[in-house]
Amino acid sequence: MDDQEDNVISARDEPASVRIRQRIERAQKRFHANDNIADFLEPGDLDALLAEVEEGMKTVLQSLVIDIDNDHNTRDTARRVAKMYLTEVFAGRYVAPPAVTEFPNAESLNELMIVGPITVRSACSHHFCPIMGRLWIGLMPNEHSNLIGLSKYARLAEWIMSRPQIQEEAIAQIAEILMSKVSPDGLAVVMEADHFCMHWRGVKDEAVMINSAMRGSFLKDHTLRSEFLALLNLRKRD
C-alpha cells in the first residue's frame, strides 16, 4: 500500500468534524457559532456528524452522572439531542439558504413596506438556552429593487436564527442578507425577544430585549424612521 492510499484511509478514519474543519481552514474561512458552513459539507457528512455528536452527548450525560443504560427516560436522549441540534435548532449552520425568487419592481413601488411580526426562535451562543421572539422588517424599495414573496422574509429569518446566536448579531445578519436580496433604498429590522439564559438561570428575570438595525434611508431620514417605529407601536397595541 503506497503513501497516497495510506492518506486516503487515514482521512476516512478521522471524525467528520475534523474533516470539515480542515476544509474550512484551508479555505481560510470563519466557522463561528452563527456562521453557515454548508459550502464545506460533502454527501454523508451530516449523518457522520450526527453519530459523532450523539457519542459526544453520551459522554456529557455520563459526566453528569446520569445512568443512560438503565434510565428509560434518557436512554435515547443523546441521539435525540444530536438530531435536534443538527436538523432543527442549529440547522441554519448546515443547510444552504432557502431558494428566494426575486421579481423586478415593475410598478416602481417606493412607499414604506412593513413585514411582521415574524416569530423567531434561536438559542444563545453563550449557554445554548432558547431565544424566543418577534421580528419586524421595514423596507423602502426603489425602481431598481427586487421584490420577494412575503413568506421568504420568514424563511430567510429562520435560516439566520437557526444557529447559536446573540440577538445583536442576528439582526445585523438578517439586515445584510435582505439588503443583498432586495437592494432597497432603506431597510429597518426590529427584534423583540425573551432570553431564557435570563429567565431560566442567572438572575431569573423576565426582561425582554429589543434592538434594531437600520440601513440606508432609515438611518438618514429620522421622519421615515419615526413613521416605521410608530406603526410598529400601533401594531403591538392591537
Side-chain angles (χ1 to χ4, degrees), residues 20-204:
I20 297 165
R21 186 179 295 110
Q22 288 172 345
R23 292 174 206 144
I24 299 171
E25 289 173 343
R26 282 196 296 268
Q28 297 183 327
K29 297 295 185 180
R30 204 180 77 165
F31 52 104
H32 289 185
N34 61 353
D35 289 329
N36 178 271
I37 60 170
D39 288 344
F40 301 97
L41 298 181
E42 295 180 356
D45 278 347
L46 274 181
D47 288 337
L49 269 180
L50 197 153
E52 184 180 338
V53 174
E54 179 183 359
E55 289 305 308
M57 282 306 306
K58 285 181 181 177
T59 300
V60 170
L61 292 168
Q62 288 165 343
S63 295
L64 291 170
V65 199
I66 296 174
D67 183 358
I68 60 175
D69 296 317
N70 298 300
D71 178 3
H72 63 281
N73 288 318
T74 57
R75 187 175 298 136
D76 298 317
T77 294
R79 179 75 176 181
R80 287 191 291 262
V81 172
K83 186 176 180 181
M84 176 188 73
Y85 280 147
L86 288 171
T87 67
E88 297 175 305
V89 180
F90 298 156
R93 297 198 76 231
Y94 307 105
V95 298
V100 175
T101 303
E102 301 161 20
F103 304 95
N105 186 4
E107 299 297 322
S108 298
L109 301 174
N110 62 354
E111 300 290 342
L112 173 61
M113 299 166 52
I114 299 178
V115 180
I118 297 169
T119 300
V120 290
R121 303 171 184 86
S122 190
C124 77
S125 49
H126 297 156
H127 297 96
F128 280 13
C129 288
I131 297 172
M132 310 288 285
R134 299 183 297 171
L135 181 76
W136 290 265
I137 298 165
L139 284 163
M140 277 296 292
N142 59 55
E143 60 181 2
H144 304 296
S145 294
N146 299 314
L147 304 179
I148 63 176
L150 191 62
S151 66
K152 306 308 180 191
Y153 293 98
R155 292 188 185 278
L156 288 170
E158 180 183 24
W159 182 66
I160 294 290
M161 295 302 297
S162 296
R163 309 170 192 179
Q165 282 284 9
I166 64 169
Q167 186 171 332
E168 303 92 315
E169 293 179 359
I171 67 165
Q173 288 182 314
I174 292 169
E176 181 180 347
I177 196 169
L178 288 175
M179 286 295 289
S180 67
K181 293 287 184 185
V182 183
S183 300
D185 277 346
L187 174 77
V189 183
V190 171
M191 186 187 300
E192 175 186 80
D194 291 280
H195 291 246
F196 282 73
C197 57
M198 285 184 64
H199 296 352
W200 198 14
R201 55 161 300 282
V203 296
K204 296 182 176 65

